[in-house]
């Protein structure tokens, strides 16, 4: 639990009360998962799944709470993209590779790119490499935690036609980490603000 503040742990426990938590994995299981995938999970997500909850029934994302570590939402394998700019279709049954580098460093809106086979590899890697899935708001809209590369620790939103880092506001681009994402949902601000 190095580098995790008491405040971060308190916020996670408050946001996810015991009645919505799935059983935590424990440190041995988390470390085994990390070895198998060649990556160390960023804090405080790492401590969350090891000590507090490996998934929740409520919380962000809005559709079903947090996924257990390494799981995919049901819609992942069946959604059909309208703006998939690749000759090779999305395959949600492909094994995800969290230990590979996450390929993006800034928002990418490929729905506005011309159909170009050069985008195919980048598009597939954006969905399959360097992250763990946190959950889904609806089919085709997924929250992911980047676990490799310069964006490590940031939450990203993947949707048909666009991938973007989470930010509470446009001026907050550097602050879209997991704890901020959870806190914003918990207090109903930022992305989660009621309309």
């Amino acid at each position: 639990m190095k580098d995790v503040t008491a405040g971060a742990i308190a916020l996670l426990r408050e946001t996810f009360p015991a009645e919505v938590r799935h059983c935590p994995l424990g440190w041995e299981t988390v470390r085994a998962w990390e070895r198998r995938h060649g990556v160390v999970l960023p804090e405080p997500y790492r401590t969350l799944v090891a000590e507090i909850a490996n998934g929740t029934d409520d919380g962000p994302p809005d559709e079903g709470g947090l996924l257990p570590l390494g799981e995919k939402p049901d819609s992942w394998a069946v959604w059909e993209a309208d703006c998939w700019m690749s000759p090779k279709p999305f395959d949600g049954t492909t094994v995800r590779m969290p230990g590979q580098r996450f390929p993006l460093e800034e928002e990418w809106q490929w729905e506005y790119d011309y159909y170009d086979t050069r985008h195919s590899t980048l598009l597939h890697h954006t969905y399959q490499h360097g992250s763990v899935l946190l959950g889904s708001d609806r089919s085709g809209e997924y929250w992911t935690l980047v676990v490799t590369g310069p964006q490590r620790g940031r939450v990203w939103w993947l949707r048909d036609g666009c991938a973007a880092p989470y930010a509470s506001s446009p001026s907050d681009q550097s602050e879209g980490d997991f704890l901020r994402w959870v806190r914003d949902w918990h207090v109903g601000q930022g992305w989660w603000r009621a309309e």
Side-chain angles (χ1 to χ4, degrees), residues 76 79 96 102 104 110 126-128 131 133 138 140-144 156-164:
W76 184 261
W79 74 281
R96 299 190 81 248
F102 184 75
L104 301 179
W110 59 84
T126 298
Y127 277 78
Q128 302 291 7
S131 67
L133 290 165
R138 64 175 80 64
E141 292 186 11
Y142 305 100
W143 290 103
T144 183
W156 277 65
W157 184 52
L158 306 178
R159 73 168 183 85
D160 195 14
C162 179

Side-chain angles (χ1 to χ4, degrees), residues 9-194:
I9 297 302
L11 175 64
L12 293 171
R13 288 186 189 282
E14 178 184 330
T15 302
F16 306 115
E19 62 270 13
V20 304
R21 297 179 199 160
H22 298 188
C23 186
L25 291 177
W27 285 108
E28 186 176 319
T29 303
V30 168
R31 289 182 187 111
W33 187 94
E34 290 173 333
R35 282 190 303 275
R36 189 169 54 255
H37 294 283
V39 67
V40 174
L41 297 168
E43 291 291 0
Y45 178 77
R46 186 175 193 240
T47 296
L48 173 73
V49 298
E51 295 185 2
I52 301 170
N54 182 35
T56 64
D57 293 328
D58 189 27
D62 288 334
E63 191 174 282
L66 290 175
L67 288 169
L69 176 62
E71 302 256 334
K72 301 174 189 176
D74 292 339
S75 64
W76 184 261
V78 296
W79 74 281
E80 295 181 20
D82 293 326
C83 299
W84 191 256
M85 303 301 283
S86 170
K88 181 181 171 190
F90 176 75
D91 181 3
T93 64
T94 300
V95 174
R96 299 190 81 248
M97 300 184 348
Q100 297 293 316
R101 186 180 186 280
F102 184 75
L104 301 179
E105 294 186 30
E106 61 186 10
E107 180 176 344
W108 179 34
Q109 295 185 21
W110 59 84
E111 66 185 326
Y112 301 116
D113 290 343
Y114 291 107
Y115 187 81
D116 187 334
T117 57
R118 292 177 296 175
H119 297 302
S120 181
T121 299
L122 179 59
L123 190 55
H124 288 276
H125 288 182
T126 298
Y127 277 78
Q128 302 291 7
H129 289 186
S131 67
V132 293
L133 290 165
L134 297 172
S136 173
D137 284 336
R138 64 175 80 64
S139 183
E141 292 186 11
Y142 305 100
W143 290 103
T144 183
L145 175 64
V146 176
V147 297
T148 63
Q151 293 294 302
R152 183 177 186 279
R154 304 257 344 253
V155 172
W156 277 65
W157 184 52
L158 306 178
R159 73 168 183 85
D160 195 14
C162 179
Y166 175 75
S168 297
S169 67
S171 63
D172 192 26
Q173 290 295 319
S174 65
E175 298 300 323
D177 66 6
F178 178 73
L179 194 61
R180 173 69 58 96
W181 181 73
V182 167
R183 182 198 54 112
D184 285 354
W185 176 83
H186 182 57
V187 300
Q189 73 179 33
W191 198 283
W192 311 105
R193 194 170 32 248

